[in-house]
Amino acid sequence: MAVEVEKEVKKSNEVFDSKAASSLVNELRQSFASGKTRSYEWRVSQLKSVAKLVNDGERDIVDALRSDLSKPELESVVYEISMLKNSCKVALKELKRWMVPEKVKTSLTTFPSSAEILSEPLGVVLVISAWNYPFLLSLDPVIGAIAAGNAVVLKPSEVAPATSSLLAKLVKEYLDSSCVRVVEGAVSETTALLEQKWDKICYTGNGRVGRIVMQAAAKHLTPVLLELGGKSPVVVDSDVNLKVATRRIIAGKWACNNGQACISPDYVITTKEFAPKLVDVLKEELEKFYGKNPLESKDLSRIVNSNHFARLSKLLDDEKVSGKIVHGGERNETDLLIAPTLLLDVPRDSLIMNEEIFGPLLPIITVDKVEESFDIISSGSKPLAAYLFTSNEKLKKQFVTTISAGGVVINDTTIHLAVHTLPFGGVGESGMGSYHGKFSFDAFSHKKAVVYRSFVGDAAIRYPPYTKGKLRLLKALIGGSILGIIRALFGWS
């Protein structure tokens, strides 16, 4: 017993530095080089193990998320656990089809030949996850990496310590530790990992750290998948079912981790004429959902830590917006709680409109005509998501074609995340690359071009000595012109 305790103490005192990170990567490279991760059987066994991990650990996962974020059980089950189960289900069902090489056509230039695109694993990949959906955003990319046949290192967020610890425990118990590992820690551990050469890095988080990740990756020419964020707008036209629209805005804002989600509505744009009606119904529905004293509600997540509480408080206390609060604004610093807050006619040069809010504050900007919202959105960085509520078909089409965003939803918010046949990712400063469903498999695969030829049909025209006749025929072959080939064969100019 004493020996076991001594081992645990020694282990807890071990420092994960650059040397330890290098050793870990080398170990995983040896496992990958052995070929074990490439087999269909290994991939399926590990995907089934992830599904079992989630099933068996459901109660512990809910408790960890409650500890880290006071996340309501329903949100934990629906937005993290169930979505992971679905990701495993889709991958297991489709994996064999995903792995089959894709046959493609060849041209006259290479006749006779056949060709295919082979999806091969990249190698050893690093997944750095976020704290707001710490279970989902950790294991969802890992599912894609395993499905594609890679070895994986997962670095969970230290800002969600209970979930990080649970992930380390469960992954070690359920998955093949020679190929899938978890490294816990904070800045120093992440820095040690980023110093290593990876075959791909997947990072979910903010743009500031995203730049650090990309800079580290550039040293080794490592490709990156960056899932960042941004100010996701909601445009509300006047010809809507207002009750349904407001409920869906609330669901995407406050019922998604109390606004601490990368695709949560960040601000609303509506007309000056319609704004009072929208605010009134938002107030009514918020009171129905969270009561007259929302700080006592068990259905709202808390702010993750004191640093983020102070950041959000600074946004609220800005002199440009402090008088614009029309609902909410209550705070409890001890319990890290901030009530759902509406701010009307917020100046566009205010602090709250110039950084991602990532919390329960919702500014409302007013315009004379709803079409003016397009210029406002386009004047800023491209968001991760953009939402429009309208019954106007012309406006829908204009919004979809004009607004550049990672994803667009008409007459709802955030639900595109649950559609596994759609890619999830950003554009511009909201990220690069995408995943979910087959897009996860593709994100961690190299699409290798393969051409097959036999020893027959060897054409002399490709070899020296070069003649004008060969040149004419080759130009015709490359151009794909049957008439040109005939003319070249007969020597016609």
Side-chain angles (χ1 to χ4, degrees), residues 10-35:
K10 184 179 179 182
K11 185 178 177 183
S12 65
N13 289 332
E14 288 178 357
V15 176
F16 188 86
D17 54 14
S18 186
K19 184 178 179 182
S22 177
S23 176
L24 171 61
V25 174
N26 288 334
E27 184 183 331
L28 292 181
R29 288 209 180 280
Q30 289 175 20
S31 294
F32 179 76
S34 73

Side-chain angles (χ1 to χ4, degrees), residues 135-447:
F135 221 82
L136 174 69
L137 297 178
S138 292
L139 289 184
D140 209 14
V142 169
I143 289 168
I146 288 172
N150 298 280
V152 192
V153 172
L154 168 64
K155 167 59 184 68
S157 174
E158 71 279 8
V159 180
T163 307
S164 176
S165 177
L166 180 62
L167 277 164
K169 174 178 175 289
L170 293 177
V171 168
K172 186 177 181 181
E173 287 179 10
Y174 284 83
L175 299 183
D176 180 355
S177 60
S178 70
C179 302
V180 185
R181 300 282 279 275
V182 173
V183 173
E184 289 193 272
V187 175
S188 60
E189 289 78 9
T190 305
T191 301
L193 288 169
L194 287 174
E195 288 173 354
Q196 312 310 311
K197 178 175 173 56
W198 303 91
D199 295 295
K200 189 155 194 175
I201 299 174
C202 171
Y203 167 74
T204 305
N206 62 60
R208 180 184 60 81
V209 178
R211 287 173 171 83
I212 294 171
V213 170
M214 199 167 180
Q215 188 175 28
K219 293 177 183 177
H220 302 287
L221 292 179
T222 299
V224 295
L225 195 169
L226 300 179
E227 294 299 339
L228 307 176
K231 297 189 73 62
S232 297
V234 182
V235 177
V236 183
D237 199 2
S238 56
D239 62 342
V240 297
N241 183 323
L242 192 49
K243 185 172 183 178
V244 172
T246 52
R247 283 173 167 247
R248 291 177 179 177
I249 292 170
I250 291 169
K253 180 69 172 179
W254 295 283
C256 280
N257 202 30
N258 205 5
Q260 298 170 110
C262 56
I263 55 172
S264 279
D266 193 273
Y267 64 100
V268 170
I269 306 176
T270 193
T271 62
K272 290 182 173 70
E273 183 182 356
F274 192 65
K277 296 177 186 176
L278 176 62
V279 169
D280 286 344
V281 180
L282 276 168
K283 288 179 181 178
E284 290 172 14
E285 297 302 318
L286 281 168
E287 189 171 314
K288 286 179 187 176
F289 293 169
Y290 303 113
K292 292 184 180 296
N293 189 352
L295 296 185
E296 295 178 358
S297 173
K298 300 299 181 186
D299 296 324
L300 276 174
S301 300
R302 65 168 167 79
I303 307 307
V304 65
N305 59 29
S306 57
N307 288 337
H308 280 276
F309 185 93
R311 178 184 61 80
L312 290 165
S313 294
K314 183 181 178 182
L315 297 183
L316 271 183
D317 294 336
D318 178 9
E319 61 180 15
K320 291 182 179 179
V321 303
S322 58
K324 303 291 186 179
I325 298 172
V326 292
H327 181 78
E330 299 89 357
R331 287 172 261 180
N332 181 332
E333 188 172 0
T334 303
D335 296 329
L336 299 178
L337 296 170
I338 299 178
T341 302
L342 303 174
L343 303 98
L344 182 60
D345 284 322
V346 172
R348 287 175 59 191
D349 63 349
S350 59
L351 193 59
I352 201 169
M353 285 306 301
N354 284 280
E355 65 176 72
E356 185 179 7
I357 296 169
F358 223 71
L361 320 178
L362 187 64
I364 299 171
I365 296 175
T366 58
V367 291
D368 293 321
K369 295 180 180 178
V370 72
E371 289 81 5
E372 294 174 24
S373 62
F374 291 28
D375 289 336
I376 293 174
I377 297 168
S378 299
S379 67
S381 298
K382 296 178 181 181
L384 186 57
Y387 308 114
L388 169 68
F389 288 86
T390 186
S391 297
N392 185 321
E393 293 301 322
K394 183 180 177 182
L395 194 65
K396 290 177 189 177
K397 185 176 181 180
Q398 188 181 358
F399 190 81
V400 169
T401 57
T402 304
I403 300 303
S404 182
V408 170
V409 181
I410 306 297
N411 293 332
D412 210 328
T413 63
T414 70
I415 60 167
H416 60 302
L417 190 72
V419 183
H420 71 81
T421 51
L422 288 174
F424 176 71
V427 59
E429 290 192 25
S430 60
M432 61 181 68
S434 59
Y435 70 117
H436 285 193
K438 186 175 186 295
F439 300 98
S440 291
F441 177 86
D442 291 341
F444 293 101
S445 298
H446 165 59
K447 301 300 180 182

